[in-house]
Amino acid sequence: MAAGGGGSCDPLAPAGVPCAFSPHSQAYFALASTDGHLRVWETANNRLHQEYVPSAHLSGTCTCLAWAPARLQAKESPQRKKRKSEAVGMSNQTDLLALGTAVGSILLYSTVKGELHSKLISGGHDNRVNCIQWHQDSGCLYSCSDDKHIVEWNVQTCKVNKWKGDNSSVSSLCISPDGKMLLSAGRTIKLWVLETKEVYRHFTGHATPVSSLMFTTIRPPNESQPFDGITGLYFLSGAVHDRLLNVWQVRSENKEKSAVMSFTVTDEPVYIDLTLSENKEEPVKLAVVCRDGQVHLFEHILNGYCKKPLTSNCTIQIATPGKGKKSTPKPIPILAAGFCSDKMSLLLVYGSWFQPTIERVALNSREPHMCLVRDISNCWAPKVETAITKVRTPVMNSEAKVLVPGIPGHHAAIKPAPPQTEQVESKRKSGGNEVSIEERLGAMDIDTHKKGKEDLQTNSFPVLLTQGLESNDFEMLNKVLQTRNVNLIKKTVLRMPLHTIIPLLQELTKRLQGHPNSAVLMVQWLKCVLTVHASYLSTLPDLVPQLGTLYQLMESRVKTFQKLSHLHGKLILLITQVTASEKTKGATSPGQKAKLVYEEESSEEESDDEIADKDSEDNWDEDEEESESEKDEDVEEEDEDAEGKDEENGEDRDTASEKELNGDSDLDPENESEEE
């Protein structure tokens, strides 16, 4: 049975990769790996039979595949897109393999010819193909897609019939045993009449997209009633992220839409195979491969409604042998499993998708759990063909011109015919001795002096940095990363290739953890890289795990920055206060003398002694008291001179005394200078 899926980033995409056993007694196993290659393995001897790489294997990867049924004989198929009238016959031995792609096209590959048989494009899908199913008898091909449509491809008449299958993407298809009905599923399940393309029944479905649909019976359990080909049949459905496989029954009435029973598994199913029940007494055998690498085997007779989910009768696991006493066995994932023709043995595909191991295992129904120990260490070694590794040495012509490489990013300027070059040319023409390397280098001149030093560094630094990152040359990296010129750093980062940005960030992270002096330089580089290439870095899906060390380093340093800032501020306050106090202690206060003192006396009889007492009460300095006493003596001398003059002129003495009492007496210029 074909398994859908593929390595998609969609969380609702089915797990696993597309793979299927061939209908011819399971002689081949087809596998479309995530690298876009189709590989066909022989199940008998575990040998690679064929490998096919589509032309658009990277953009249009394979999303599903299906083998043509064994009863399909001598059909016709379009060879190319436009030449539909051209038909190619197929023998009964031809095994066609249909491949659905992510771009909506369908490829038909012939395993007998080992080449692409035809390509179905026109009138098909516009989006990812999710499932492909071959009709048992008519040779038609049915496909469903994310574009919400179902397409019927008639490989005989080259006709295409397309209709809308659901309001959302259609994820799975299955054709009824009589070939007249078609099951389709997105989240809900619909049963279509192929002749009229009308819905016959609706079923509830799953909460997530359905990844697999299969009919489990070909005859109804009640054989007394007439059989119309579909009523009474059971079918199985599995969904993405759902650990329950539901079993549904097609009833005559359209009211019953829920599942009649379910099987429980340990993880999401990635591959399902079963044996059809031909009568009501024959049980259905079911093999379910889960995403955790285990296989669950079920055996049950479908005879109506069952409320409780059924558990597996047997579970198969594969593990490696533990080497030594302390080593523990490691599980080996099982990729696919299919029942053999005798229904008593199982084909297991396990190991790696690129080098799988295929083994036939006999089933023992008595054991509820089987653990197979296998050593596949030798099988995982890649096999390289010798034809790929052959290297051809080019034949050099004697007249070939030898070009001498210059500095990366510069072109060598050749001198306009110096005399030395003329001698070299004359030697070549005359058929003399071979020109030496010294003469060739002398004939060329790299004019690096005309260019500025900064331009030279700007052109050579990206080349040196790229080579240093690729070769992990410590000296070369130091030569570039030790620069302190910000403009040079910006120009270098601008010219760096995009694939070197992540290695550059990782190298800067290592250096940030080193000496603080180098960390200061690395911060300049880190700032330029994050600002210049921010748009490129935002497109990387795995940026966080790649730069996890840098994030942790920055976070740890930012945590201590706030505490250091508080400490720095407090220290600045303390230092400024200490320096200010030391300055005030060491500086002497300058002596200040008043130019003019005005005192208001209470009465004319107040003596000079009382004035001196008042001055002492006001805590005057000693120097000021001495100056005042000198002033008082000068005033007394002036008074004596004035009394002598008053005897001669009494009127003038009276007026002078009045002015002295009122404080309005004019001071001599000599007295003013003494006061100053």
Side-chain angles (χ1 to χ4, degrees):
M1 297 294 177
S8 175
C9 298
D10 186 6
L12 294 180
V17 297
C19 57
F21 289 98
S22 66
H24 299 291
S25 66
Q26 298 177 326
Y28 300 104
F29 178 73
L31 170 67
S33 56
T34 54
D35 58 355
H37 292 216
L38 172 68
R39 296 179 177 90
V40 181
W41 302 85
E42 297 178 5
T43 58
N45 52 15
N46 197 19
R47 187 175 65 90
L48 181 61
H49 179 62
Q50 285 180 2
E51 183 174 3
Y52 171 67
V53 183
S55 58
H57 66 284
L58 296 178
S59 59
T61 56
C62 180
T63 56
C64 56
L65 57 85
W67 290 89
R71 288 174 287 181
L72 186 62
Q73 297 178 0
K75 304 299 178 184
E76 295 178 351
S77 174
Q79 177 69 16
R80 294 178 180 87
K81 304 176 189 176
K82 297 181 180 179
R83 301 175 64 181
K84 291 187 176 181
S85 59
E86 182 181 356
V88 178
M90 300 185 301
S91 64
N92 55 359
Q93 297 179 354
T94 301
D95 294 329
L96 275 185
L97 191 61
L99 308 174
T101 63
V103 295
S105 59
I106 296 177
L107 309 177
L108 298 182
Y109 177 75
S110 173
T111 56
V112 172
K113 297 179 181 179
E115 61 183 12
L116 186 66
H117 187 271
S118 60
K119 188 174 183 179
L120 309 178
I121 294 180
S122 58
H125 298 290
D126 302 328
N127 209 330
R128 167 195 173 100
V129 180
N130 292 324
C131 184
I132 295 176
Q133 287 289 328
W134 286 89
H135 198 278
Q136 296 91 328
D137 301 318
S138 65
C140 290
L141 189 68
Y142 294 90
S143 62
C144 62
S145 170
D146 284 346
D147 61 3
K148 309 175 185 179
H149 286 79
I150 302 172
V151 178
E152 178 186 49
W153 310 84
N154 194 323
V155 295
Q156 288 181 325
T157 60
C158 304
K159 291 183 179 180
V160 179
N161 193 355
K162 184 177 181 179
W163 73 95
K164 187 175 182 180
D166 207 333
N167 292 327
S168 59
S169 62
V170 185
S171 57
S172 187
L173 295 175
C174 183
I175 300 175
S176 62
D178 61 351
K180 297 180 180 179
M181 296 285 184
L182 176 69
L183 279 172
S184 72
R187 283 182 171 84
T188 60
I189 303 174
K190 297 179 182 179
L191 183 62
W192 301 82
V193 180
L194 287 179
E195 186 177 356
T196 61
K197 308 298 186 293
E198 295 179 354
V199 179
Y200 181 72
R201 290 285 185 272
H202 282 274
F203 300 92
T204 306
H206 296 260
T208 53
V210 176
S211 58
S212 56
L213 281 174
M214 294 180 185
F215 276 94
T216 58
T217 56
I218 58 176
R219 298 291 298 176
N222 189 3
E223 298 181 354
S224 60
Q225 297 179 357
F227 179 52
D228 58 356
I230 191 66
T231 304
L233 295 185
Y234 292 91
F235 66 91
L236 180 77
S237 68
V240 178
H241 304 317
D242 196 346
R243 295 187 297 173
L244 288 178
L245 299 172
N246 292 337
V247 179
W248 314 78
Q249 186 178 19
V250 183
R251 308 256 177 116
S252 57
E253 65 275 4
N254 197 17
K255 296 180 181 180
E256 189 64 33
K257 298 181 180 181
S258 58
V260 295
M261 66 178 65
S262 59
F263 300 101
T264 178
V265 292
T266 56
D267 206 343
E268 174 188 348
V270 297
Y271 193 94
I272 301 175
D273 193 20
L274 54 83
T275 61
L276 290 172
S277 173
E278 298 181 359
N279 53 60
K280 64 179 182 179
E281 296 179 357
E282 183 180 1
V284 174
K285 291 184 178 181
L286 185 66
V288 183
V289 181
C290 297
R291 188 169 56 178
D292 57 4
Q294 301 183 35
V295 176
H296 299 278
L297 301 178
F298 298 88
E299 187 174 351
H300 186 72
I301 298 175
L302 303 177
N303 56 1
Y305 183 77
C306 182
K307 185 177 181 180
K308 187 178 180 181
L310 302 176
T311 57
S312 61
N313 299 338
C314 180
T315 302
I316 301 177
Q317 286 180 304
I318 300 178
T320 59
K323 296 180 180 179
K325 297 181 179 179
K326 296 183 179 180
S327 61
T328 57
K330 295 182 179 180
I332 301 174
I334 300 176
L335 310 178
F339 286 101
C340 299
S341 56
D342 58 357
K343 298 182 182 181
M344 297 303 296
S345 57
L346 198 66
L347 275 177
L348 295 179
V349 182
Y350 57 89
S352 169
W353 289 113
F354 302 100
Q355 189 73 26
T357 304
I358 305 173
E359 181 182 351
R360 183 169 180 170
V361 179
L363 299 178
N364 189 357
S365 58
R366 297 179 181 178
E367 297 181 4
H369 188 272
M370 294 174 59
C371 184
L372 307 177
V373 179
R374 300 290 184 268
D375 187 7
I376 59 172
S377 58
N378 297 329
C379 302
W380 285 38
K383 299 177 181 178
V384 181
E385 297 181 359
T386 56
I388 301 176
T389 59
K390 288 182 179 179
V391 179
R392 276 190 172 185
T393 304
V395 179
M396 294 293 293
N397 190 0
S398 59
E399 298 179 357
K401 223 175 190 180
V402 180
L403 300 178
V404 180
I407 297 178
H410 295 273
H411 299 284
I414 301 176
K415 286 186 177 181
Q420 194 171 1
T421 56
E422 293 177 357
Q423 296 176 3
V424 173
E425 293 293 336
S426 63
K427 286 183 180 180
R428 289 181 180 177
K429 290 180 180 178
S430 61
N433 297 331
E434 186 180 357
V435 182
S436 64
I437 297 177
E438 183 179 359
E439 292 175 346
R440 291 180 185 177
L441 292 176
M444 304 181 67
D445 182 22
I446 301 172
D447 192 6
T448 58
H449 299 287
K450 294 181 180 179
K451 297 186 178 182
K453 183 179 179 182
E454 185 176 350
D455 294 337
L456 177 63
Q457 289 180 344
T458 306
N459 290 332
S460 60
F461 268 27
V463 179
L464 289 176
L465 187 55
T466 304
Q467 293 176 355
L469 291 173
E470 291 178 354
S471 61
N472 200 13
D473 192 341
F474 187 74
E475 294 182 358
M476 192 180 296
L477 290 174
N478 275 344
K479 183 178 180 181
V480 179
L481 295 178
Q482 292 298 327
T483 180
R484 296 177 180 271
N485 191 346
V486 179
N487 293 329
L488 183 57
I489 293 174
K490 288 182 180 179
K491 292 180 181 179
T492 305
V493 172
L494 276 171
R495 299 183 182 184
M496 288 291 293
L498 290 179
H499 67 274
T500 60
I501 300 303
I502 294 297
L504 176 59
L505 287 175
Q506 293 174 352
E507 180 66 25
L508 293 176
T509 304
K510 292 179 183 177
R511 293 172 178 260
L512 277 172
Q513 300 173 359
H515 198 272
N517 292 335
S518 65
V520 173
L521 297 176
M522 297 308 108
V523 167
Q524 296 290 339
W525 283 91
L526 185 63
K527 179 182 177 181
C528 291
V529 172
L530 294 179
T531 52
V532 172
H533 297 284
S535 58
Y536 166 70
L537 293 173
S538 62
T539 60
L540 298 178
D542 55 345
L543 180 65
V544 175
Q546 287 188 357
L547 301 183
T549 308
L550 179 61
Y551 292 157
Q552 294 176 2
L553 180 64
M554 294 173 66
E555 186 178 358
S556 62
R557 297 203 175 185
V558 168
K559 282 182 180 179
T560 59
F561 179 73
Q562 187 175 6
K563 297 179 181 179
L564 290 175
S565 299
H566 288 306
L567 180 60
H568 182 64
K570 292 179 180 179
L571 289 176
I572 288 177
L573 288 176
L574 290 174
I575 291 171
T576 51
Q577 289 178 1
V578 169
T579 53
S581 62
E582 289 178 354
K583 286 181 180 180
T584 53
K585 288 180 180 179
T588 57
S589 58
Q592 298 179 357
K593 297 181 180 180
K595 291 183 179 181
L596 180 64
V597 179
Y598 170 74
E599 297 178 0
E600 186 177 359
E601 297 179 357
S602 60
S603 63
E604 296 178 357
E605 299 176 354
E606 193 170 2
S607 64
D608 296 335
D609 297 333
E610 292 177 353
I611 293 172
D613 295 337
K614 291 180 181 179
D615 294 338
S616 63
E617 290 176 359
D618 294 336
N619 296 326
W620 285 13
D621 296 333
E622 295 178 357
D623 297 338
E624 293 178 353
E625 289 177 357
E626 291 176 358
S627 63
E628 288 297 332
S629 62
E630 291 176 357
K631 291 177 184 178
D632 293 341
E633 291 176 358
D634 294 338
V635 172
E636 289 176 357
E637 290 177 358
E638 289 177 358
D639 291 342
E640 290 176 358
D641 295 337
E643 286 177 359
K645 292 179 182 180
D646 288 340
E647 292 177 357
E648 297 175 356
N649 193 359
E651 293 178 357
D652 296 334
R653 182 175 55 82
D654 295 333
T655 55
S657 61
E658 289 177 0
K659 289 180 179 180
E660 187 179 357
L661 291 172
N662 294 329
D664 296 335
S665 62
D666 296 331
L667 296 174
D668 295 335
E670 296 178 356
N671 296 335
E672 291 179 0
S673 63
E674 289 177 0
E675 289 175 358
E676 292 177 359

